[in-house]
Amino acid sequence: VQLQASGGGLVQAGGSLRLSCAASGNIFRINAMGWYRRAPGKQRELVAAITSGGSTNYADSVKGRFTISRDGAKNTVYLQMNSLKPEDTAVYYCNADRLELYSGVEYSTYWGQGTEVTVSS
């Protein structure tokens, strides 16, 4: 099983980036997918999450600026980040909640590698 995140980079304040995370590996079902971030010197925090039914949840700090979406057929989650601020600078991690394989193996949570986002002022 692999969660492959991409789309990070360097952008000026006010700019946009789109992160993608594709889950692969004989996956039967994923309950929810989301994005977390860890800024330098801070704890990891939830940025946004989306369930298989399409319900979304956002951190207050990104509401109105970030949009999470999901392609269930591709087991892929996206994070469209607009109006970026320097305080959005962090390593962003993709997460899958209750990931079940066709073999019956189930992971309560599964993490992808991080993708770095740097917003310059």
Side-chain angles (χ1 to χ4, degrees):
V1 178
Q2 187 176 19
L3 298 183
Q4 184 67 45
S6 61
L10 173 64
V11 64
Q12 287 190 332
S16 298
L17 283 174
R18 188 187 193 217
L19 306 184
S20 300
C21 175
S24 60
N26 227 22
I27 296 169
F28 172 60
R29 178 171 51 203
I30 302 175
N31 176 50
M33 298 185 76
W35 291 93
Y36 288 72
R37 68 186 180 188
R38 177 175 282 154
K42 295 187 177 181
Q43 290 189 330
R44 185 174 60 197
E45 63 174 352
L46 172 69
V47 177
I50 184 167
T51 68
S52 57
S55 297
T56 58
N57 182 35
Y58 294 93
D60 288 342
S61 59
V62 307
K63 283 180 181 176
R65 300 188 298 121
F66 291 10
T67 301
I68 190 169
S69 60
R70 180 174 176 175
D71 185 332
K74 296 181 179 179
N75 287 323
T76 299
V77 64
Y78 307 95
L79 186 67
Q80 178 65 44
M81 305 187 294
N82 299 329
S83 303
L84 282 161
K85 304 175 181 180
E87 50 263 43
D88 294 318
T89 295
V91 178
Y92 285 71
Y93 296 91
C94 176
N95 174 267
D97 175 76
R98 294 210 334 254
L99 187 157
E100 184 177 351
L101 305 181
Y102 280 102
S103 65
V105 173
E106 183 173 322
Y107 299 90
S108 60
T109 187
Y110 207 94
W111 293 95
Q113 92 289 1
T115 185
E116 191 164 0
V117 171
T118 303
V119 184
S120 63
S121 56

